Amino acid sequence: MRAVRQPRPAEGPRLIPRTWGRRRPVAVIATGLCSAGAAIAAVALPAALGGAVNGVVSGPGIPWAVLWLCAALTAAEVLLDCAATVVGGTTTAGLAARLRTDALDRVLGTGLRNTEPVPPGDLTTRLTANAPDAAAAPVTAAGAVAAVLLPVGGLAGLLLVDVWTALALLAGFPALLLLLRTFARQTSGASADYQAEQAVLAARLTEALEGAATIRAARTGAREYARVLEPLTALGRHGRRTWEVYGRASARSAVLLPLLTALVVAVAGLRLWAGALDVGGLVAASRYAVLAVGIGSLTGALGSLQRSRAAARRLEPLLDLPPVPHRSLELPPDGPGTLELRGVDVVRDGRYLLRDVAFTVPGGTSVAVVGRSGSGKSVLAAVAGRLMDPDAGTVTLDGVPLDGVDPVRLRHAVSFAFARPVLPGTTVEEAISFGVPRPSPGRVRAAAEAASAGFVALLPRGYATPQAKAPLSGGEYQRLGLARAFAHRGRLMILDDATCGLDTVTERRVHRELDGFAGETTRLAVAHRLSVAAGADQVVWLEDGAVRAMGPHGGLWADPDYRAVFRSPDGDGSGPPDGRGTA
């Protein structure tokens, strides 16, 4: 057995709040400074209030200077809190957008094999629901500085006002810290479980939407309804668990924090009765006690940070996806499009999908890839255009290994059409022109005509018709996918069963257009229909992932096993070697 290439290790940025915050350091620092400034103003205010009360009680006049200081500190606290909210919200939104973009770039820039473990619904959940939670981490961490400054400042203020009041507060701190530790640990697990179950629900819903027609035809709507909604039970359980954690923490705080405040005020009152504390000191001590026990407000920040950590763990695999490697090799500018596969293996879970596949397609010619269902035809098409890399062997285009060419430049040379094309873009014209480089409107229309997509001109607004207002059949979608491939035609065109939804007449028109590319574009077509194989210059016959034979269709037709391929459920029946009258 030949050696199989080992997968490349994943490399990428880790989603850690402090490193992700470096994307917008000024905004994160500004948020932290505003929050800290508001906390400092809040800590300074009790001392100023105490001084104002002493001035009113002991002096003949009104201490305007101290009162103005109290007003300034109050205004500063309010304005800085507002600034922190605005800057923090804007920063979080910007980081979420950047995080989504980076994660999506990683997904689109890696090989198909790397993204297969993540179902589309789960991927959507990670990019939509989880990204904002993860992106909030830097701002939440910066705001947590203020949440820490307030109790620390309150305790420091109590120590300055009267040591005994501070000692009374410290007596209850162990219970408060235990409450916070328990809350953080329980919230982390609940958030992670909730997000995981949310992904399961999204994945099942996406599957059901994609297979809606099959579900209707099989009359299994009720069963699918139950299957899709089944995760709601666990989702509800995890959601209730999250709120129970918050509820228990709030209930305990509601009991513990007032008791601590009352204890501090009682001690301060005793100190006032003993003459060790004045009235202003009593006012300041009571205010500082409120700030000091405000450590319970950290539960909100801790809960947000735990949600961010759970979301970050779900996004990290996407951000760690390795880009498609290359060696910056260049394709010859006037290459004919000669495609060669040498000893290609593709292995999944220990099973060979392709085994020792080797053949050459001369530039400008056409080859049909045929075989029974599961023989590896679509895998071969993906490898031939480097939508995935083989585990062993090489694929070259005009003598240059595909894994050495910049993927963006390779897309200029290779175009694809699929049986079930995805058509991004708002309008029909945008769907056809989607890709790089963007074709001119004239080329878009010529490509649509070549793909027998003349029906576009009959739509309400022609090529400017929004896709949402253009009800299209499966065959019409296929023709738009073909038009997109024609509009971006390079030296190699790969059609993965891209005409299976067309009627016989339309398919023949399309293949006549493809025949017109002879000498200019190499065509590799995954074929189920006999007519496609008969019209190709060469046929590659796959069986269990290996090439059983290669040659002209007429020569292979003598083999009864080859004829049986077209009598199988995924073929279109038997017929004469030229394929006329069969499709």
Side-chain angles (χ1 to χ4, degrees):
M1 181 182 296
R2 293 178 294 117
V4 174
R5 187 179 304 156
Q6 296 299 315
R8 298 176 179 86
E11 295 178 0
R14 305 300 295 177
L15 185 61
I16 303 174
R18 63 174 179 272
T19 58
W20 192 248
R22 293 171 190 163
R23 301 297 181 95
R24 294 200 173 186
V26 175
V28 173
I29 291 173
T31 302
L33 289 176
C34 289
S35 299
I40 291 171
V43 170
L45 184 58
L49 286 173
V53 169
N54 282 337
V56 171
V57 171
S58 61
I62 298 176
W64 289 108
V66 181
L67 291 176
W68 280 114
L69 176 61
C70 292
L73 290 173
T74 302
E77 181 182 358
V78 172
L79 292 175
L80 288 172
D81 269 336
C82 290
T85 301
V86 172
V87 175
T90 304
T91 303
T92 298
L95 286 174
R98 179 66 181 274
L99 179 54
R100 287 189 178 116
T101 301
D102 284 2
L104 189 58
D105 283 346
R106 288 277 177 168
V107 170
L108 297 177
T110 193
L112 284 177
R113 183 176 305 186
N114 295 327
T115 59
E116 284 178 350
V118 185
D122 188 2
L123 178 62
T124 302
T125 302
R126 297 188 195 201
L127 293 176
T128 54
N130 298 148
D133 284 338
V139 170
T140 303
V145 173
V148 172
L149 279 177
L150 287 173
V152 170
L155 179 60
L158 280 176
L159 286 169
L160 292 175
V161 171
D162 185 75
V163 174
W164 289 102
T165 56
L167 291 176
L169 179 66
L170 287 173
F173 256 46
L176 202 56
L177 293 176
L178 179 62
L179 172 66
L180 290 175
R181 181 175 178 273
T182 303
F183 174 80
R185 186 175 64 249
Q186 293 178 348
T187 301
S188 177
S191 297
D193 292 341
Y194 185 89
Q195 291 174 2
E197 210 63 43
Q198 191 178 43
V200 173
L201 178 64
R204 292 188 181 183
L205 178 59
T206 303
E207 292 170 0
L209 291 175
E210 290 179 346
T214 303
I215 293 169
R216 283 196 299 270
R219 297 184 179 181
T220 57
R223 188 170 64 194
E224 281 301 303
Y225 180 86
R227 186 183 75 89
V228 170
L229 297 185
E230 185 266 336
L232 282 178
T233 303
L235 194 69
R237 184 171 64 252
H238 296 315
R240 287 191 297 273
R241 176 182 160 201
T242 300
W243 287 112
E244 286 171 1
V245 171
Y246 274 99
R248 286 195 295 268
S250 298
R252 292 166 183 169
S253 298
V255 174
L256 181 60
L257 302 186
L259 286 176
L260 287 176
T261 304
L263 177 61
V264 171
V265 172
V267 173
L270 291 174
R271 297 290 287 167
L272 175 65
W273 179 76
L277 200 65
D278 54 28
V279 177
L282 175 63
V283 171
S286 63
R287 294 286 297 176
Y288 279 131
V290 173
L291 293 179
V293 299
I295 193 171
S297 65
L298 277 172
T299 55
L302 285 174
S304 180
L305 283 174
Q306 293 300 336
R307 286 195 303 275
S308 295
R309 287 183 60 189
R313 283 193 292 269
R314 289 179 48 74
L315 283 166
E316 279 180 2
L318 301 184
L319 293 170
D320 286 344
L321 289 173
V324 176
H326 64 88
R327 302 187 297 278
S328 299
L329 301 180
E330 296 285 346
L331 293 170
D334 299 319
T338 300
L339 176 68
E340 184 177 4
L341 284 77
R342 306 177 205 153
V344 168
D345 288 348
V346 174
V347 184
R348 298 287 175 83
D349 299 325
R351 174 174 170 259
Y352 278 85
L353 302 185
L354 293 178
R355 183 193 295 271
D356 198 19
V357 172
F359 62 85
T360 300
V361 185
T365 66
S366 62
V367 62
V369 181
V370 305
R372 296 182 185 274
S373 179
S375 60
K377 300 185 297 296
S378 291
V379 176
L380 175 58
V383 168
R386 211 198 175 191
L387 291 184
M388 69 169 63
D389 285 327
D391 294 286
T394 58
V395 183
T396 65
L397 183 61
D398 290 326
V400 180
L402 293 190
D403 61 3
V405 182
D406 185 311
V408 176
R409 292 183 178 274
L410 185 62
R411 292 302 133 224
H412 290 258
V414 182
S415 60
F416 275 90
F418 302 98
R420 297 176 61 188
V422 176
L423 301 173
T426 303
T427 66
V428 173
E429 181 170 2
E430 289 176 359
I432 297 174
S433 63
F434 183 80
V436 290
R438 188 180 182 88
S440 65
R443 183 161 184 172
V444 167
R445 283 154 179 74
E449 291 297 325
S452 292
F455 63 87
V456 175
L458 303 178
L459 294 174
R461 295 174 58 187
Y463 286 86
T465 303
Q467 289 196 68
K469 297 183 179 180
L472 303 176
S473 67
E476 287 170 335
Y477 267 110
Q478 277 196 347
R479 281 182 270 175
L480 291 183
L482 285 164
R484 182 174 60 194
F486 288 173
H488 296 87
R489 177 167 62 93
R491 67 184 73 187
L492 174 62
M493 181 180 291
I494 298 175
L495 296 91
D496 187 359
D497 211 15
T499 60
C500 65
L502 307 185
D503 60 83
T504 304
V505 174
T506 303
E507 183 192 38
R508 285 181 176 172
R509 273 199 220 110
V510 170
H511 279 284
R512 275 199 299 270
E513 292 290 338
L514 288 168
D515 291 341
F517 301 153
E520 300 176 2
T521 300
T522 305
R523 290 93 65 208
L524 185 148
V526 171
H528 289 91
R529 290 183 174 177
L530 185 61
S531 55
V532 178
D537 297 318
Q538 295 284 323
V539 175
V540 173
W541 175 14
L542 287 182
E543 190 171 274
D544 295 329
V547 176
R548 174 163 173 175
M550 179 176 181
H553 171 73
L556 296 175
W557 189 255
D559 190 327
D561 289 340
Y562 177 76
R563 294 198 299 271
V565 169
F566 298 97
R567 297 191 187 100
S568 63
D570 60 332
D572 64 349
S574 61
D578 63 1
R580 292 188 178 91
T582 60

